[in-house]
Amino acid sequence: MPVCFALRIGARAGPRRGTMGGMHARASAGLVSLLLAIIVDLHAGDVPREPPRDWVDSDTGHRVVRLSQEGGSQSLYFHQNPYTPDGSRLIITTPTGLAAIDLKTRAIEKIVDGRVNPIMTGRKTGRAYYVRAGAVYAVDPASKTSSEIAKLPPHAAMASVNADETLLAGTITEGTVPDASGAPPREPEPRARGDAPQPARDSYPGKDDMMERRLAARLPMQLFTLNTKTGEVKTILRSTDWLNHVQFSPTDPGLLLFCHEGPWHKVDRTWTIRTDGSGLTQIHHRTMLMEIEGHEFFAADGRTVWYDLQTPRSEVFWLAGYDLATGRRTWYHVDRSEWSVHFNASPDGTLFAGDGGGPASVAAPGNGQWIYLFRPQLVADRTGDALPNAADLVRPGVLKAEKLVNLGGHDYSLEPNVTFTPDMQWIVFRSNMFGATHVYAVAVNK
């Protein structure tokens, strides 16, 4: 309508004889130009604008850079190692495959063409492992050469690669879960088979109901290893618990961390096991109604398992650690407003990072939507008599938070998933704060 209106004005404003006629013509032409400029500007609001490349967050004073080029690119899940051993490259997913980012120059190179399901980057060779069409592959980021490692067993989902890259680990699920209507089971979704790329969203309507039904189904499962040289598959644990969150120790090739998935207040969640099937150990024992813990991960040195702990749910928040050698526990209190969906530790273990939480999080209302840097502070050692797990020695402390990036515009149905770069100068995360999902990094120092 505005365009037609402007064109009609132009049609009626033809040249007239004399000075006044010329003035009217010039005035009408100017009005047409003004209206057209307004129309173009209005339509420009409908076109997605490219997110900024490099800026300083006005709320925090920290520099933020966009690392990805294609909208829809994502960094890996927070406990999947994305970095090559020399610390030079970061592996990400893109809408068209896998890419490697040079962390010094920020140059991006595609290393795998086509959508795949990433596993992680090997800590010894730096090859990026991924699943495509029922097989595991590894690609050398430098040469971009992919090689097939092994075919997957039926109904398998791969999750991790061990420290010396001799074994992969994953789960096999026998059977499927009825849908909410009680209809017959459907074929599992592609991601459950380990064939599909990362989802666009981590939270979605109906997820809580799905978690309840999946837990109640008690489907038989296997935790297994796959030899990267021979392709041999070895089952190390059978269970009707929902086995998930499988991850190898970053330093011990024979140690696995995994969880019993489901609503956290209904499961004994965090466990370790050796790759020969021995040493099955429950890391945390609940001691009160609605106590929850989860989103476990290894410290970079492999000595500690860290996890989100709430005593009880939504009321008192901790980042809890368990020393695998001594059994000693460290609990850092987290302010409710600074609770994060995922925490992570720096390579030297002196700092932590968090990705905040959305308005509907377990810490809502008032949960902060920020990328956080946490500095741990221990208080004097004491026994755990005043805390749950009273039989263990607990070192209490607090996490002092610094805000790095304002995520007020981020939709938390996509979890940011923070990781420290190997040089500890940056924290990498994914965000849709400008619309399309991209991979960003924020400087640790102002």
Side-chain angles (χ1 to χ4, degrees), residues 7-23:
L7 290 175
R8 283 200 299 271
I9 292 176
R12 292 173 58 187
R16 301 179 185 177
R17 294 181 182 177
T19 304
M20 292 300 294
M23 291 177 61

Side-chain angles (χ1 to χ4, degrees), residues 53-246:
R53 266 288 184 187
D54 194 328
W55 75 100
V56 174
D57 189 299
S58 60
D59 295 301
T60 70
H62 284 262
R63 182 185 178 198
V64 188
V65 297
R66 174 165 58 89
L67 298 176
S68 57
Q69 293 178 349
E70 296 180 81
S73 298
Q74 294 192 37
S75 52
L76 304 190
Y77 192 52
F78 80 106
H79 69 64
Q80 294 172 289
N81 177 51
Y83 302 104
T84 54
D86 62 2
S88 65
R89 290 184 175 95
L90 165 72
I91 306 302
I92 67 169
T93 67
T94 73
T96 56
L98 292 182
I101 299 175
D102 186 307
L103 290 173
K104 289 185 177 179
T105 67
R106 293 189 234 159
I108 302 179
E109 288 186 303
K110 180 179 285 187
I111 59 173
V112 174
D113 192 28
R115 299 294 295 271
V116 298
N117 182 25
I119 301 174
M120 60 178 279
T121 305
R123 300 179 188 277
K124 181 180 179 181
T125 67
R127 294 192 298 173
Y129 290 79
Y130 63 93
V131 175
R132 170 184 273 166
V136 180
Y137 295 82
V139 59
D140 180 346
S143 67
K144 306 179 187 63
T145 302
S146 287
S147 56
E148 182 177 314
I149 303 299
K151 301 290 185 186
L152 289 179
H155 311 298
M158 299 310 302
S160 191
V161 185
N162 71 348
D164 61 9
E165 298 181 45
T166 58
L167 294 174
L168 296 117
T171 58
I172 296 172
T173 305
E174 303 170 20
T176 52
V177 183
D179 66 23
S181 67
R186 298 172 294 175
E187 279 296 305
E189 294 298 321
R191 183 164 171 77
R193 298 195 302 267
D195 294 341
Q198 290 180 305
R201 292 291 181 267
D202 300 292
S203 299
Y204 49 86
K207 182 177 180 179
D208 290 343
D209 179 65
M210 179 280 293
M211 299 280 282
E212 293 281 1
R213 287 186 287 107
R214 173 62 185 85
L215 179 65
R218 306 294 296 181
L219 298 178
M221 292 191 70
Q222 301 173 41
L223 179 62
F224 74 95
T225 60
L226 188 154
N227 189 296
T228 57
K229 298 296 184 184
T230 67
E232 178 191 8
V233 173
K234 179 181 177 182
T235 297
I236 62 174
L237 180 66
R238 294 180 182 271
S239 178
T240 56
D241 292 301
W242 181 4
L243 308 178
N244 200 10
H245 227 243
V246 179

